[in-house]
Amino acid sequence: MSTFSEKLNEQIAYEFAASQQYIAVAVHYDAQTLPQLAAHFYRQALEERNHAMMMVQYLLDSGEEIVIPAVAAPRTSFSDDVAPVTLALEQEKRVTAQISALAVTAREAGDLVAEQFMHWFLQEQREEVSSMSALLSVVRRAGDNLLLVEDFLSRNQVGDAGEAAAAPPVAGGAL
């Protein structure tokens, strides 16, 4: 297995873990009857799952070994209603660093196909960090009144809702 493929298998674990963390955040808001926030994070969970499956499809297409990993349990309790979005932003920044390192690994190996594959994810991460930063700003401004955030989300799409042009194929199809 090439170094890039090994690291891409590791990234699959990170993407599945991110998906699980977003489900935990969605459930946190769903339990408080905040359907817009919950729906936003349920969508994010599907998007992260699809990212993992894009990586699986790349490895399938490349004839490389695929390791479907176990993931650590997500954080499920939060000190306040800002903490889940803060955690989500931190997660997106961490994933951006991981994706950047993967692109560098591909470049250093002279694997132009792998490097090109990673370019879509680099652009996606820029959007993810930007949209999560915006959501965190809205949540902070709302203070204790998350119904203001609900109203904001009902009127404004935050992020691309998983609809990205020229996205890599998803193993088994996108959900």
Side-chain angles (χ1 to χ4, degrees):
M1 185 182 311
S2 72
T3 301
F4 177 78
S5 295
E6 185 177 311
K7 292 197 178 296
L8 192 59
N9 270 295
E10 289 174 14
Q11 190 63 37
I12 290 168
Y14 301 145
E15 298 293 330
F16 280 133
S19 178
Q20 290 293 95
Q21 185 59 67
Y22 280 140
I23 290 170
V25 169
V27 167
H28 170 80
Y29 290 124
D30 219 353
Q32 296 181 60
T33 318
L34 296 165
Q36 297 295 325
L37 274 162
H40 175 75
F41 283 102
Y42 285 130
R43 280 190 306 273
Q44 287 297 120
L46 281 176
E47 191 172 312
E48 298 303 332
R49 175 263 182 210
N50 286 341
H51 291 171
M53 297 306 288
M54 289 172 183
M55 293 171 185
V56 166
Q57 187 64 54
Y58 177 87
L59 291 169
L60 284 168
D61 292 345
S62 301
E64 294 285 347
E65 182 180 351
I66 302 159
V67 179
I68 302 301
V71 297
R75 182 172 160 198
T76 57
S77 61
F78 303 97
S79 59
D80 59 36
D81 290 321
V82 175
V85 184
T86 302
L87 176 67
L89 177 57
E90 291 167 359
Q91 176 174 276
E92 290 301 343
K93 288 179 177 179
R94 187 172 48 256
V95 170
T96 298
Q98 293 162 344
I99 295 293
S100 295
L102 266 167
V104 168
T105 298
R107 178 172 286 175
E108 288 175 349
D111 188 342
L112 299 179
V113 173
E115 184 180 351
Q116 178 62 35
F117 174 68
M118 295 313 303
H119 283 189
W120 181 86
F121 289 96
L122 290 168
Q123 292 174 341
E124 176 70 5
Q125 283 310 122
R126 182 184 62 226
E127 182 274 326
E128 294 288 346
V129 169
S130 174
S131 66
M132 203 57 69
S133 294
L135 181 59
L136 181 57
S137 293
V138 170
V139 169
R140 283 182 174 152
R141 280 194 310 270
D144 290 336
N145 189 354
L146 289 185
L147 293 178
L148 294 171
V149 180
E150 289 287 290
D151 183 54
F152 175 83
L153 288 173
S154 72
R155 292 180 288 109
N156 300 283
Q157 178 177 315
V158 176
D160 65 8
E163 301 167 10
V170 176
L175 296 180

